[in-house]
């Protein structure tokens, strides 16, 4: 049973596609890790892997923006020992929020687009939620930032020639 499951995810196009989508949804890894894995390890075509990673990276964003404050409050109430973790996440969002507050749309775009540790769609969505930005304002900036991050990751990883293959 497990062998069939493993074979599906490592040997089939559908399995590799699902894994790519899931990897791009993971905080910290996001599109920045999923795109090179999809192309180099799973041998998915660039034209296919790119939108898959962008979609996967964006899937959690609306849920984070809408629900993260309620989730944090629930975590503090039900699991008081996680208060330190929640506080650190909130402080991290607060540290990143200066640029977003100063430049609004473009600040959020830059926070998401620059592929450095501590940036990305998850962080952008967390900052947007902590600043009480509504989804209609935050999502386009985050989506554009994810596309910008994809361009940067492709350029750094594969060079400008990557864009000829799309």
């Amino acid at each position: 049973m497990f062998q069939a499951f493993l074979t599906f995810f490592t040997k089939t196009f559908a399995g590799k596609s699902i894994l790519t989508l899931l990897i791009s949804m993971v905080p910290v890894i996001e599109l920045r890790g999923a795109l090179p894995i999809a192309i180099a390890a799973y041998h998915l075509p660039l034209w296919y892997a790119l939108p898959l990673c962008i979609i996967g990276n964006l899937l959690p964003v609306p849920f984070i923006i809408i629900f993260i404050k309620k989730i944090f409050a629930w975590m503090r109430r039900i699991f008081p020992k996680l208060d330190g973790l929640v506080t650190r996440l909130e402080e991290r969002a607060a540290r990143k929020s200066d640029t977003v507050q100063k430049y609004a749309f473009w600040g959020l775009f830059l926070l998401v687009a620059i592929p450095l540790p501590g940036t990305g769609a998850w962080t952008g969505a967390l900052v947007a939620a902590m600043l009480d930005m509504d989804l209609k304002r935050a999502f386009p900036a985050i989506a554009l930032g994810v596309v910008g991050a994809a361009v940067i990751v492709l350029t750094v990883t594969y060079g400008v020639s990557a864009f000829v293959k799309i």
Side-chain angles (χ1 to χ4, degrees), residues 15-157:
K16 292 175 184 180
S17 298
I18 292 169
L19 274 179
T20 297
L21 190 73
L22 292 174
I23 292 169
S24 64
M25 293 171 68
V26 174
V28 181
I29 298 172
E30 300 186 31
L31 172 136
R32 299 162 170 96
L35 192 54
I37 290 169
I39 296 167
Y42 300 157
H43 306 290
L44 295 177
L46 177 58
W47 61 267
Y48 179 77
L50 182 61
L52 192 64
C53 289
I54 290 171
I55 291 166
N57 202 180
L58 289 174
L59 279 174
V61 169
F63 301 100
I64 297 167
I65 293 172
I66 295 169
F67 298 116
I68 198 66
K69 283 186 166 184
K70 292 175 184 166
I71 292 169
F72 282 175
W74 175 82
M75 286 172 66
R76 282 188 165 118
R77 192 175 62 253
I78 304 298
F79 305 105
K81 290 185 179 186
L82 293 179
D83 181 59
L85 172 66
V86 171
T87 300
R88 282 194 306 275
L89 290 170
E90 289 173 336
E91 288 170 351
R92 178 178 173 193
R95 283 192 308 270
K96 306 284 184 181
S97 67
D98 291 343
T99 304
V100 175
Q101 284 181 320
K102 186 174 181 181
Y103 300 109
F105 179 93
W106 294 110
L108 190 54
F109 162 78
L110 285 172
L111 176 65
V112 175
I114 299 172
L116 294 172
T119 65
W122 277 77
T123 302
L126 181 60
V127 168
M130 295 298 124
L131 293 175
D132 291 320
M133 293 177 76
D134 78 346
L135 185 60
K136 289 179 185 176
R137 270 189 44 221
F139 190 81
I142 293 170
L144 192 59
V146 168
V147 171
V151 169
I152 293 169
V153 167
L154 282 175
T155 303
V156 169
T157 308

